[in-house]
């Protein structure tokens, strides 16, 4: 619990992607009731020996996590394989049949529930996991968002998720394996799932959020072995020195471990929550004030797509748009697929000439050509978001990163814009497109 409470991942990372948060919460709760097999030398008080384990209840929670995010099925497939392989020899066949039938029954009920809920939402019968499989596995179109090396989860995801706790997690797994007094099954499931998640081209560390509960458990085993009630495990492992020299002082004390975890996690949590990339949120406070003063007619975001919040932070029915970056729906369209964010980054001046009407924000001709090559009747003039490449009027406010300002400032000034607000965003950013402050350009009233 302490490791989970102080972890920067729990304090900053996991609170942002809501789907991953729900998946992690359901997975953690399901792990509590999962029937882990106790190790061969487990003490009588070993937790897996109590009456908490309930396979049906755990499977219900697992089914919910799979409905929330289909990739969770990979983790539970690994857990199911480990459960079946480690079945006791006594009544092995009957136990295996019972596990499979229970899983199938709950799975069918979960699928039926999912189909019904999706039908109520889409007004037609759909099966999202199949489309998810086609997009992410069969055609591997997730690589549109970035392609990762095969060992990404090993040397990027796990160190980011656990940071200073990673040595304790590894030590906890090592102790469990050597002493056989704590189950190593959760670690095996985590390793199998990490391998399975590494078979796709696009990877992000948030994909491994459901493994956090397992890692925190082994961190606790490590710290309690060093300074807590499980010190006998460490003594049993070091059988050649069961009675260490009492005069020898160890750096592993409760105070030192607590300070180490606090100092390596809490500052990072505070910095990431209060300082890092705050400009993309602060800008909306300014935009809300502008809207309240009736100074806004339309807002455009000349930034990589999804860089900022949207209507969830504006709370007003004001036309807004951002540069499109929708992936293609077919792998054969990869070479010809058009997306505005890429077009803008490659040639921002030319993009602005193509995407906006030429005269005072109004169409010169009702048959203007879109930036994507098509012809439009009047272009984007209403409150709906423009289609990719569709012409649109110059908005009253443009929001962009400082990295782009030097490339298009003269174009915006020529159109009657001037910088009206600037917000600190970050001290560092791995994406060169998102470097610098968040800048707002406002169109001068005399030029509207």
């Amino acid at each position: 619990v302490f490791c989970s409470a102080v972890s920067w991942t729990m304090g900053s990372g996991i609170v942002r992607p809501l789907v991953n948060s729900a998946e992690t919460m359901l997975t953690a709760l399901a792990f509590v009731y999962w029937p882990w097999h106790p190790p061969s030398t487990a003490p009588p008080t070993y937790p897996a020996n109590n009456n908490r384990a309930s396979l049906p209840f755990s499977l219900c929670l697992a089914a919910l996590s799979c409905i929330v995010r289909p990739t969770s099925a990979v983790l539970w497939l690994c857990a199911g394989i480990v459960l079946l392989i480690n079945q006791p020899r006594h009544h092995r066949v009957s136990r295996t049949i019972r596990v499979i039938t229970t899983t199938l029954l709950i799975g069918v009920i979960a699928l039926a529930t999912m189909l019904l809920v999706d039908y109520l939402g889409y007004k037609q019968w759909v099966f999202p996991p199949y489309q998810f499989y086609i997009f992410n596995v069969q055609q591997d179109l997730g690589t549109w968002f970035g392609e990762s090396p095969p060992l990404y989860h090993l040397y990027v995801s796990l160190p980011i998720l656990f940071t200073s706790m990673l040595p304790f997690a590894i030590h906890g797994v090592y102790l469990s394996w050597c002493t056989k007094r704590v189950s190593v099954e959760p670690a095996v499931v985590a390793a199998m799932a990490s391998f399975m998640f590494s078979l796709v081209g696009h990877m992000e560390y948030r994909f491994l959020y459901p493994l956090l509960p397992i890692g925190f458990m082994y961190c606790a085993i490590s710290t309690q072995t060093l300074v807590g009630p499980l010190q006998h495990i460490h003594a049993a492992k070091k059988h050649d020195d069961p009675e260490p020299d009492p005069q020898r002082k160890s750096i592993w004390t409760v105070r030192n471990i607590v300070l180490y975890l606090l100092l390596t996690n809490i500052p990072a949590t505070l910095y990431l929550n209060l300082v890092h990339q705050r400009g993309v949120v602060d800008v909306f406070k300014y935009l809300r004030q502008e809207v309240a003063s009736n100074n806004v007619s339309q807002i455009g975001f000349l930034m990589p797509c999804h860089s900022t919040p949207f209507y969830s932070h504006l709370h007003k029915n004001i036309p807004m748009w951002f540069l499109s970056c929708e992936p293609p729906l077919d792998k054969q369209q990869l070479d010809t697929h058009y997306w505005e964010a890429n077009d803008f980054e490659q040639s921002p001046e030319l993009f602005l000439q193509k995407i906006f009407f030429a005269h005072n924000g109004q169409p010169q001709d009702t048959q203007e050509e879109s930036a994507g090559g098509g012809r439009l009747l009047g272009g984007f003039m209403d409150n709906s978001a423009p289609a990719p490449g569709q012409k649109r009027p110059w908005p009253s406010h443009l929001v962009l990163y400082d990295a782009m300002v030097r490339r298009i400032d003269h174009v915006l000034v020529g159109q009657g814009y001037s910088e009206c607000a600037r917000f600190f965003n970050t001290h560092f950013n791995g994406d060169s497109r998102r470097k610098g402050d968040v800048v707002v350009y406002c169109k001068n009233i005399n030029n509207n």
Side-chain angles (χ1 to χ4, degrees), residues 231-243:
Q231 289 186 27
H232 63 279
I233 296 180
H234 190 59
K237 175 184 170 295
K238 300 180 69 172
H239 53 82
D240 56 330
D241 188 18
E243 297 182 1

Side-chain angles (χ1 to χ4, degrees), residues 71-208:
T71 53
S72 188
V74 174
L75 176 62
W76 291 108
L77 175 63
C78 296
I81 292 174
V82 171
L83 177 64
L84 293 177
I85 290 177
N86 290 338
Q87 286 286 351
R89 293 184 179 181
H90 183 63
H91 298 310
R92 186 185 188 93
V93 174
S94 60
R95 290 172 181 267
T96 300
I97 293 175
R98 185 167 64 251
V99 169
I100 294 176
T101 53
T102 303
T103 303
L104 290 176
L105 177 61
I106 294 176
V108 169
I109 295 174
L111 285 175
T113 303
M114 181 190 67
L115 289 172
L116 180 60
V117 171
D118 287 333
Y119 177 78
L120 295 175
Y122 291 104
K123 306 304 181 184
Q124 60 179 335
W125 293 108
V126 294
F127 189 57
Y130 175 72
Q131 298 299 329
F132 184 92
Y133 169 81
I134 295 296
F135 185 90
N136 289 282
V137 180
Q138 181 174 318
Q139 300 201 52
D140 199 18
L141 287 171
T143 54
W144 172 264
F145 302 102
E147 192 165 1
S148 308
L151 299 179
Y152 178 88
H153 284 321
L154 179 63
Y155 61 78
V156 176
S157 298
L158 292 178
I160 287 179
L161 291 179
F162 296 103
T163 55
S164 60
M165 297 183 190
L166 187 59
F168 292 107
I170 295 174
H171 182 236
V173 174
Y174 173 72
L175 289 174
S176 302
W177 180 267
C178 292
T179 64
K180 301 294 189 293
R181 296 178 66 84
V182 179
S183 177
V184 78
E185 282 187 359
V188 174
V189 171
M192 292 173 61
S194 299
F195 172 77
M196 296 287 287
F197 286 134
S198 299
L199 297 180
V200 296
H202 176 67
M203 300 177 230
E204 299 179 29
Y205 68 86
R206 64 185 178 90
F207 295 169
L208 297 190

Side-chain angles (χ1 to χ4, degrees), residues 292-309:
S293 301
N294 295 320
N295 295 328
V296 179
S297 60
Q298 185 187 130
I299 305 172
F301 296 84
L302 295 176
M303 317 167 84
C305 56
H306 308 298
S307 292
T308 68

Side-chain angles (χ1 to χ4, degrees), residues 171 175 220-235:
H171 182 236
L175 289 174
I221 291 173
S222 172
T223 54
Q224 292 191 59
T225 299
L226 293 172
V227 298
L230 299 181
Q231 289 186 27
H232 63 279
I233 296 180
H234 190 59

Side-chain angles (χ1 to χ4, degrees), residues 391-402:
K391 275 186 176 291
R392 63 208 70 177
W394 288 92
S396 61
H397 291 67
L398 284 169
V399 184
L400 59 156
Y401 283 112
D402 196 26

Side-chain angles (χ1 to χ4, degrees), residues 154-341:
L154 179 63
Y155 61 78
V156 176
S157 298
L158 292 178
I160 287 179
L161 291 179
F162 296 103
T163 55
S164 60
M165 297 183 190
L166 187 59
F168 292 107
I170 295 174
H171 182 236
V173 174
Y174 173 72
L175 289 174
S176 302
W177 180 267
C178 292
T179 64
K180 301 294 189 293
R181 296 178 66 84
V182 179
S183 177
V184 78
E185 282 187 359
V188 174
V189 171
M192 292 173 61
S194 299
F195 172 77
M196 296 287 287
F197 286 134
S198 299
L199 297 180
V200 296
H202 176 67
M203 300 177 230
E204 299 179 29
Y205 68 86
R206 64 185 178 90
F207 295 169
L208 297 190
Y209 277 171
L211 303 185
L212 284 170
I214 294 177
F216 292 147
M217 181 193 72
Y218 285 108
C219 287
I221 291 173
S222 172
T223 54
Q224 292 191 59
T225 299
L226 293 172
V227 298
L230 299 181
Q231 289 186 27
H232 63 279
I233 296 180
H234 190 59
K237 175 184 170 295
K238 300 180 69 172
H239 53 82
D240 56 330
D241 188 18
E243 297 182 1
D245 184 2
Q247 301 299 324
R248 185 175 61 186
K249 294 184 178 180
S250 173
I251 63 171
W252 301 116
T253 64
V254 174
R255 176 178 177 273
N256 288 349
I257 290 179
V258 168
L259 285 176
Y260 168 74
L261 293 178
L262 289 175
L263 292 176
T264 54
N265 284 274
I266 299 302
T269 301
L270 294 175
Y271 176 80
L272 293 173
N273 285 340
L274 302 177
V275 180
H276 185 61
Q277 293 184 341
R278 65 171 299 156
V280 294
V281 176
D282 289 343
V283 69
F284 268 84
K285 181 179 180 180
Y286 169 78
L287 292 175
R288 285 197 302 271
Q289 294 172 348
E290 287 287 279
V291 170
S293 301
N294 295 320
N295 295 328
V296 179
S297 60
Q298 185 187 130
I299 305 172
F301 296 84
L302 295 176
M303 317 167 84
C305 56
H306 308 298
S307 292
T308 68
F310 216 51
Y311 284 106
S312 63
H313 281 57
L314 190 69
H315 306 298
K316 294 291 182 179
N317 188 22
I318 297 294
M320 295 196 299
W321 51 262
F322 55 84
L323 301 179
S324 66
C325 63
E326 293 84 354
L329 299 180
D330 193 301
K331 203 167 188 177
Q332 296 179 352
Q333 302 173 354
L334 280 175
D335 296 333
T336 59
H337 183 68
Y338 176 79
W339 47 305
E340 292 176 341

